[in-house]
């Protein structure tokens, strides 16, 4: 992974591989998450600083770092995800002729790019996919979008089961228990949420491609229509200053906090989770919210459309449309019985399609089959 905090996107899969006889190595930029995995002892950890955005000299040093590490490990399989790590890791793996080079495709950054940037991102994707021996897309719509852009030989790309990179653990992400009411009230009060006011959650990295500005416009429209609500934003600020403006001018209804380690408790504070994203792979926050019996409003963007069963577990609106988003938010905020109906069906649907054990089993079988089919 490019950044250490993305290691959580792997779920329990690396540990389960180790328990099933694999020698597992984790590679990312230095950080506390990689340190934490090292302390658990199931994997060897390797630190390679990698910048998320293009940077010629640092990228060259990172590529050299990848070559050095892989020469030492001499792996049978390399599985890489997130754009920068994928590009560098696949280039190094191809150069060293690693037998199985798996590109775990988590999203398509070029979907929200334009002009020269889009052309460059497409070229880099083609390089990465050409160096890979297999490409795993985390959702069916992502596979479709990747093939539509003609970024890979269609024979290379697959989706494991129903998709997802790690699935959802229903024991962790669950509705609030009766004996939790006092502690959840205390949590809500400690972060500044108002009692008795519906809470819209916006979880994940806060960025333009997550539909941040569209959401703010929709929230303003709700207020003008007299629909009371408050917003809980949890995640890293990647908005290039836009999020700061939100928190400065809307402190009466926006609670903005950074990444937390017990996110499951924060889902239990929500009335609705809103993900007005413009592109995804398969959004974990949408699945985790539904496992917590929270209905989700998201868009028909790549990846997002796979994460909700429209009008059954949540609502799907047109990406980029604040009007559609306002209508959906009004619907769920004002119609409590309908909201409860969606919430009741959300958790069984997620656990039926994206249960963490099922996703992990699919991955274990995939990697075992990959090696067993080797000449």
């Amino acid at each position: 992974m490019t950044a250490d905090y993305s290691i959580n996107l792997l779920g329990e899969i690396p540990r389960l591989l180790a328990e099933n006889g694999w020698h597992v190595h984790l590679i990312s930029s230095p950080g506390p998450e990689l340190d934490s995995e090292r302390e658990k002892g199931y994997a060897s950890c390797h630190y390679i600083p990698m910048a998320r955005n293009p940077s010629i000299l640092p990228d060259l040093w990172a590529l050299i770092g990848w070559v050095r590490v892989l020469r030492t490990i001499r792996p049978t399989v390399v599985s890489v995800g997130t754009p920068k790590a994928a590009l560098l890791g696949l280039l190094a793996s191809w150069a060293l002729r690693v037998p199985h080079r798996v590109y775990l495709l988590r999203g398509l950054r070029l979907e929200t790019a334009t002009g020269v940037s889009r052309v460059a991102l497409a070229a880099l994707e083609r390089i990465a996919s050409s160096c890979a021996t297999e490409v795993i897309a985390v959702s069916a719509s992502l596979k479709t979008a990747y093939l539509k852009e003609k970024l890979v030989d269609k024979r290379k790309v697959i989706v494991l089961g129903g998709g997802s990179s790690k699935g959802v653990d229903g024991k962790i992400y669950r509705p609030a228990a009766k004996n939790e009411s006092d502690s959840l009230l205390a949590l809500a009060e400690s972060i500044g949420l108002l009692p008795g006011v519906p809470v819209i959650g916006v979880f994940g990295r806060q960025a333009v491609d997550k539909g941040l500005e569209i959401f703010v416009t929709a929230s303003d429209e709700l207020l003008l229509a007299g629909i009371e609500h408050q917003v809980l934003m949890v995640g890293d600020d990647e908005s290039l200053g836009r999020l700061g403006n939100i928190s400065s001018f809307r402190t009466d209804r926006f609670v903005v906090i950074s990444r937390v380690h017990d996110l499951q408790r924060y889902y239990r504070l929500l009335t609705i989770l809103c993900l007005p994203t413009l592109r995804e792979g398969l959004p974990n926050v949408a699945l985790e919210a539904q496992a917590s019996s929270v209905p989700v409003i998201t868009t028909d963007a790549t990846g997002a459309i796979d994460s909700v069963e429209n009008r059954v577990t949540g609502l799907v609106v047109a990406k980029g449309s604040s009007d559609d988003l306002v209508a959906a938010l009004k619907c769920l905020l004002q119609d409590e019985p309908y909201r409860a109906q969606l919430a009741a069906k959300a958790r069984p649907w997620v656990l039926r399609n994206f249960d963490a054990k099922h996703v992990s089993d699919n991955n274990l079988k995939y990697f075992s089959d990959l090696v067993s089919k080797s000449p």
Side-chain angles (χ1 to χ4, degrees), residues 97-114:
R97 296 297 186 263
V98 174
H100 303 287
R101 306 181 294 274
V102 180
Y103 182 9
L104 184 54
L105 185 65
R106 300 178 179 277
L108 195 48
R109 196 171 175 183
L110 65 82
E111 284 193 301
T112 51
T114 57

Side-chain angles (χ1 to χ4, degrees), residues 35-365:
D35 292 338
S36 175
E37 298 307 302
R38 178 190 286 273
E39 290 171 4
K40 293 174 184 176
Y42 69 87
S44 300
C45 296
H46 307 271
Y47 301 82
I48 301 177
M50 288 173 276
R52 188 174 179 214
N53 293 317
S55 184
I56 294 174
L57 190 56
D59 288 349
L60 179 58
W61 280 113
L63 180 59
I64 292 170
W66 270 96
V67 170
R68 286 173 175 168
V69 168
L70 295 182
R71 272 182 174 165
T72 301
I73 298 171
R74 299 178 63 84
T76 309
V77 179
V78 169
S79 175
V80 286
T82 68
K84 182 59 69 68
L87 178 65
L88 299 176
L90 288 167
L91 277 170
S93 302
W94 172 81
L96 295 173
R97 296 297 186 263
V98 174
H100 303 287
R101 306 181 294 274
V102 180
Y103 182 9
L104 184 54
L105 185 65
R106 300 178 179 277
L108 195 48
R109 196 171 175 183
L110 65 82
E111 284 193 301
T112 51
T114 57
V116 174
S117 177
R118 183 183 178 88
V119 172
L121 288 171
L124 293 175
E125 283 292 343
R126 290 190 182 95
I127 293 170
S129 65
S130 66
C131 289
T133 54
E134 294 88 15
V135 178
I136 301 176
V138 296
S139 67
S141 63
L142 179 59
K143 175 184 175 180
T144 298
Y146 208 62
L147 292 174
K148 185 178 179 181
E149 294 287 341
K150 299 180 180 179
L151 300 172
V152 65
D153 184 329
K154 66 181 180 181
R155 294 170 295 182
K156 276 189 182 182
V157 62
I158 63 169
V159 178
L160 296 182
S164 180
S165 60
K166 65 173 183 175
V168 179
D169 187 335
K171 294 178 182 178
I172 296 174
Y173 297 98
R174 56 169 178 77
K178 291 181 179 179
N179 62 1
E180 286 182 287
S181 56
D182 289 344
S183 64
L184 290 176
L185 282 171
L187 174 61
E189 182 179 356
S190 71
I191 61 176
L193 289 175
L194 303 173
V197 179
V199 181
I200 302 172
V202 182
F203 288 6
R205 63 184 183 87
Q206 307 303 335
V208 174
D209 60 4
K210 293 290 185 181
L212 176 65
E213 293 170 312
I214 296 163
F215 175 77
V216 171
T217 299
S219 179
D220 287 342
E221 290 294 325
L222 291 175
L223 279 187
L224 289 172
I227 299 174
E228 192 176 26
H229 67 284
Q230 56 190 325
V231 178
L232 174 58
M233 285 187 165
V234 180
D236 293 333
D237 180 8
E238 297 180 10
S239 66
L240 302 178
R242 291 181 175 91
L243 183 55
N245 293 333
I246 291 171
S247 58
S248 297
F249 295 106
R250 296 178 173 82
T251 52
D252 57 330
R253 59 188 172 93
F254 274 76
V255 173
V256 182
I257 56 180
S258 59
R259 198 185 330 159
V260 296
H261 288 286
D262 55 347
L263 187 61
Q264 65 273 14
R265 297 183 67 219
Y266 291 80
Y267 284 112
R268 298 170 201 156
L269 303 176
L270 303 183
T271 308
I272 302 164
L273 181 96
C274 186
L275 181 66
T277 185
L278 303 179
R279 67 172 182 87
E280 292 289 332
L282 184 73
N284 289 311
V285 291
L287 303 182
E288 292 164 358
Q290 290 171 96
S292 306
S293 293
V294 176
V296 171
I297 298 173
T298 190
T299 70
D300 58 3
T302 299
I305 197 168
D306 304 79
S307 69
V308 169
E309 189 169 2
N310 192 27
R311 302 187 182 279
V312 177
T313 70
L315 298 178
V316 176
V317 302
K319 67 177 180 180
S321 173
S322 60
D323 289 343
D324 284 3
L325 187 59
V326 168
L329 287 166
K330 278 184 179 179
C331 175
L332 293 196
L333 288 172
Q334 293 181 316
D335 191 339
E336 186 174 351
Y338 184 44
R339 193 169 72 230
Q341 176 186 323
L342 297 177
K345 294 181 179 179
R347 178 175 170 83
W349 180 79
V350 165
L351 297 184
R352 186 167 61 249
N353 291 284
F354 303 104
D355 176 68
K357 185 179 185 307
H358 183 60
V359 172
S360 295
D361 287 347
N362 283 341
N363 276 269
L364 289 173
K365 183 178 186 305

